[in-house]
Amino acid sequence: MNNKFHIITFGCQMNVYDSEVLKGILSQKGYSATSKPEDANLIIVNTCSVREHAEVRAIGRLNELSRHKLENPEVKLAVIGCMAQRLGERFLKEVPTLDLVLGTEELFKLPDYLEKKGKSPTVALSFSELQKIDSLPQRKNKFSSFVAISRGCENFCSYCIVPYVRGSEKNRKLSEIIKEVQCLTEYGCKEVALIGQNVNSYKDNGCDFAELLKEVSKTDIQRIRFMTSHPKDLSLKLIEAMSELEKVCEHLHLPLQSGSDKILEKMNRKYNSSDYLRLMDSVRGKVDNLSLTTDLIVGFPGEKEEDFQKTLEMVQRIEFDSAFMFKYSPREGTTAFLLKDDVPNEVKLERLQMLIELQKKIAQKKNKSLIGKTEEVLIDGKSKRDKSSWKGKGRSNKTVIIPKGEKDENLLGEIVKIKIADTDSFTLFGEIIKKR
Ligand code: 5AD
Ligand code: SF4
């Protein structure tokens, strides 16, 4: 029997991180990763439950993989993560070929479950404890890595399944986070993105998120990002830490979700549009060149045309650098699921399209105003479209493309200063003016 595994990841950065951690654990146990499912004896699908669409895609993929398993009965098929947690035993009815259904914390014990012999499928869903993990995650991007600082969420936004599938918020120990960051730098990592469902509420032994940023700044890591921030927990102390700490990038992902106070209340977001505007002024006043990004939902139950107009007005007024925009998707078990999903799908689609158009124009305008300015870029690969150009991320979190110079130097992993020569709504194009 070969020991090759193939892992497919749906969903957010936390899922990407979990898959990287699991790859680390499996490698330590003698398994090796393959990019081809047909070569693997163990196929793992890490799933997302935030919207129905992600679940439909995961089921589709699992059904495809089931055919491979039916032809090769020695292959083990595992489904892990949020959807596994949500469906549990019910998953076996959807995909009868499954060998393992492991929830959001149990997934880290996958090798132990594999060793247990037995014919019937394993379903393991407990998530009250953070799993202790000793192996180093296997990162796809060597130069920029996610580091989870907390798991779970207890905000219970009315539309969101996360608190149910990931449990209440559990913070990692400060010392463990610092150890992971320092270890990453020894492997050549230049940037970490500290991730959690709500990083602002981080606490360990009296140390809050602003203090955590200060501690991470003292390691050898060169750049620090973080996400996601909940507007209700964004403190002045954190804003000050952002402006004072040189290594912390000037990027804030602050989900607004809706511009209508009525809808924000129904979403249980615990702030209104004026609170959000005040926060934004305070961050923009303190952090120069701030790049502000957000998440927005259209078509939440009871969203009338005038509520949607308020979202458009807020987006127009705030001018986000970019936004993730979604159609509301009812999730069984959430409190919003009890409300009538009364915005017809065509109206949701129409609103989404309008919002995307508006945001695209704003991003285009904002990016144009950057032409001639400088940006510090961490180069992490080649441009997909033009293999002769370098690609990287600016401090703003925007993608930057740099045409290769005459000298075919290897700039992978370097932080360079560029002058922005051209832009479109999503990308900056620039020329190197200085290497660090
Ligand atoms: N429907 C649509 N979008 C959702 N999100 C979370 N739950 C839902 C849902 N039920 C969005 C929010 C959140 C992002 C990660 O996903 O905007 O910030
Ligand atoms: Fe979901 Fe709200 Fe928690 Fe974000 S803060 S994960 S939207 S419940």
Side-chain angles (χ1 to χ4, degrees):
M1 175 176 150
N2 79 36
N3 259 351
K4 292 208 171 126
F5 71 93
H6 176 74
I7 186 161
I8 298 159
T9 306
F10 289 92
C12 66
Q13 293 156 333
M14 193 59 84
N15 269 16
V16 173
Y17 179 77
D18 285 350
S19 289
E20 291 175 345
V21 173
L22 184 57
K23 279 188 211 168
I25 296 172
L26 285 165
S27 310
Q28 214 180 33
K29 298 266 181 185
Y31 291 83
S32 62
T34 168
S35 58
K36 295 186 190 142
E38 61 277 15
D39 290 348
N41 248 10
L42 166 63
I43 301 180
I44 307 159
V45 180
N46 192 358
T47 54
C48 169
S49 280
V50 165
R51 282 168 293 275
E52 193 188 0
H53 182 62
E55 293 203 340
V56 172
R57 282 177 56 221
I59 297 266
R61 200 64 202 272
L62 280 161
N63 283 329
E64 268 170 46
L65 296 164
S66 292
R67 282 199 286 279
H68 170 60
K69 182 180 157 85
L70 289 173
E71 285 159 22
N72 304 277
E74 76 285 1
V75 169
K76 297 267 181 246
L77 187 58
V79 67
I80 62 171
C82 294
M83 198 178 168
Q85 187 75 46
R86 192 174 87 75
L87 293 180
E89 294 272 345
R90 284 190 281 163
F91 228 134
L92 302 174
K93 288 212 181 77
E94 296 272 353
V95 185
T97 45
L98 282 171
D99 298 286
L100 295 134
V101 179
L102 304 180
T104 47
E105 285 298 316
E106 288 292 307
L107 68 92
F108 301 113
K109 296 191 211 149
L110 180 90
D112 304 339
Y113 287 117
L114 278 176
E115 277 164 25
K116 282 190 192 141
K117 299 252 176 338
K119 278 239 168 289
S120 57
T122 304
V123 179
L125 307 174
S126 99
F127 63 22
S128 50
E129 292 288 316
L130 268 192
Q131 300 299 323
K132 183 100 186 69
I133 290 148
D134 303 318
S135 53
L136 196 67
Q138 273 197 359
R139 263 79 186 205
K140 196 166 157 223
N141 184 334
K142 185 171 178 267
F143 309 110
S144 176
S145 302
F146 296 130
V147 173
I149 63 162
S150 63
R151 304 172 65 81
C153 179
E154 41 203 60
N155 288 318
F156 290 96
C157 300
S158 65
Y159 50 81
C160 186
I161 195 75
V162 170
Y164 305 91
V165 290
R166 286 199 173 266
S168 55
E169 187 175 290
K170 292 162 283 267
N171 294 299
R172 279 180 81 192
K173 282 198 174 336
L174 175 89
S175 55
E176 222 180 276
I177 298 168
I178 299 297
K179 202 165 114 197
E180 187 169 328
V181 174
Q182 189 54 39
C183 186
L184 279 165
T185 65
E186 282 150 29
Y187 285 89
C189 179
K190 302 287 168 66
E191 174 185 275
V192 286
L194 305 176
I195 56 168
Q197 252 72 41
N198 180 15
V199 290
N200 305 149
S201 58
Y202 179 83
K203 275 257 168 319
D204 178 46
N205 246 334
C207 167
D208 64 14
F209 184 59
E211 283 150 17
L212 172 69
L213 282 180
K214 279 188 199 137
E215 293 306 311
V216 176
S217 279
K218 290 181 196 158
T219 68
D220 292 323
I221 201 74
Q222 295 185 26
R223 296 209 309 202
I224 304 165
R225 311 183 170 282
F226 59 88
M227 77 191 307
T228 290
S229 297
H230 194 303
K232 78 174 169 55
D233 297 316
L234 188 74
S235 65
L236 192 63
K237 186 171 169 193
L238 173 60
I239 300 173
E240 272 161 8
M242 261 186 102
S243 80
E244 278 162 20
L245 298 169
E246 165 59 22
K247 290 182 178 177
V248 176
C249 292
E250 299 75 17
H251 170 224
L252 183 64
H253 186 69
L254 196 64
L256 168 65
Q257 311 296 6
S258 169
S260 153
D261 291 345
K262 181 188 97 190
I263 298 296
L264 284 172
E265 167 122 41
K266 281 181 148 193
M267 286 177 162
N268 192 29
R269 289 291 288 176
K270 303 186 181 89
Y271 58 83
N272 60 29
S273 52
S274 324
D275 298 331
Y276 192 98
L277 289 172
R278 234 176 289 123
L279 255 185
M280 182 203 69
D281 284 345
S282 143
V283 194
R284 281 188 169 154
K286 282 238 157 42
V287 183
D288 291 340
N289 303 318
L290 181 82
S291 163
L292 185 66
T293 60
T294 202
D295 292 345
L296 295 158
I297 299 176
V298 298
F300 185 82
E303 185 188 74
K304 299 275 182 295
E305 188 52 36
E306 69 246 34
D307 298 305
F308 174 61
Q309 286 304 325
K310 286 187 181 140
T311 300
L312 291 178
E313 280 161 28
M314 280 289 275
V315 167
Q316 185 76 65
R317 176 157 176 190
I318 295 169
E319 299 196 318
F320 294 107
D321 288 83
S322 71
F324 294 110
M325 294 161 275
F326 311 103
K327 264 188 330 172
Y328 169 68
S329 168
R331 305 281 63 214
E332 196 183 345
T334 61
T335 51
F337 191 75
L338 304 172
L339 305 171
K340 188 159 177 258
D341 183 21
D342 58 357
V343 180
N345 193 44
E346 319 82 78
V347 177
K348 283 184 188 167
L349 270 174
E350 223 173 80
R351 290 181 185 168
L352 185 63
Q353 208 46 47
M354 272 175 85
L355 193 58
I356 291 173
E357 283 302 316
L358 173 64
Q359 178 51 41
K360 195 171 161 195
K361 282 204 193 99
I362 292 168
Q364 247 162 6
K365 185 184 112 185
K366 289 202 84 168
N367 287 349
K368 274 242 143 43
S369 74
L370 297 174
I371 293 177
K373 301 214 164 112
T374 58
E375 170 68 296
E376 210 183 73
V377 184
L378 168 58
I379 298 186
D380 59 17
K382 296 277 173 67
S383 157
K384 273 202 195 105
R385 257 198 251 155
D386 170 13
K387 289 268 178 274
S388 67
S389 295
W390 293 108
K391 162 183 88 59
K393 277 267 154 84
R395 287 179 71 95
S396 60
N397 206 33
K398 290 179 187 173
T399 299
V400 182
I401 303 291
I402 305 163
K404 247 178 160 181
E406 276 125 56
K407 278 189 269 120
D408 194 9
E409 256 180 293
N410 185 2
L411 294 176
L412 259 187
E414 301 270 339
I415 294 181
V416 296
K417 196 164 203 172
I418 63 141
K419 187 165 174 192
I420 301 163
D422 200 4
T423 62
D424 63 25
S425 9
F426 301 107
T427 318
L428 313 178
F429 302 87
E431 295 141 17
I432 296 177
I433 49 176
K434 200 171 137 214
K435 280 191 225 133
R436 233 195 191 184

